[in-house]
Amino acid sequence: MPVFAVTYVYGPDTETRMEHRPAHRQWQAEQNAAGVILASGPLDETPQPGGLLIVSAEDPDAVAQLLTGDPYHRIGVIEATHIREWTPVYGPFAQG
């Protein structure tokens, strides 16, 4: 199955984002347990806070649909989302 690198750029409402972080992380944990989100975590705050998700899905549309379930998406604290197919050559996500 294809692998995608998803980057989030968070908006300026840090207070709301932090308030909903436990639900965001719980959603990620559930997707990880299901084998959909392979890895995730925050990106450096410079120049703007964001996150990186490595996702296994059929196509970019399936990734976009998955992301609508993220509590951060529902509350509107994500300023931009970038979905790019990624071909891991080495490491745990490499596909033979």
Side-chain angles (χ1 to χ4, degrees):
M1 183 158 322
V3 176
F4 295 85
V6 176
T7 53
Y8 283 163
V9 176
Y10 298 138
D13 190 351
T14 303
E15 184 176 327
T16 298
R17 183 167 42 91
M18 289 299 113
E19 178 183 330
H20 292 272
R21 181 184 240 172
H24 165 73
R25 289 200 169 165
Q26 178 61 40
W27 175 81
Q28 287 186 346
E30 291 166 3
Q31 299 308 313
N32 177 256
V36 179
I37 292 181
L38 305 177
S40 67
L43 293 170
D44 188 334
E45 298 280 322
T46 307
Q48 191 168 357
L52 172 66
L53 296 82
I54 304 300
V55 178
S56 176
E58 289 293 328
D59 56 45
D61 291 336
V63 176
Q65 179 62 37
L66 169 77
L67 298 176
T68 64
D70 186 339
Y72 276 5
H73 176 82
R74 289 194 301 256
I75 62 168
V77 296
I78 301 169
E79 191 171 278
T81 301
H82 305 282
I83 301 169
R84 297 179 65 184
E85 189 163 352
W86 179 49
T87 305
V89 177
Y90 299 105
F93 311 124
Q95 299 178 8

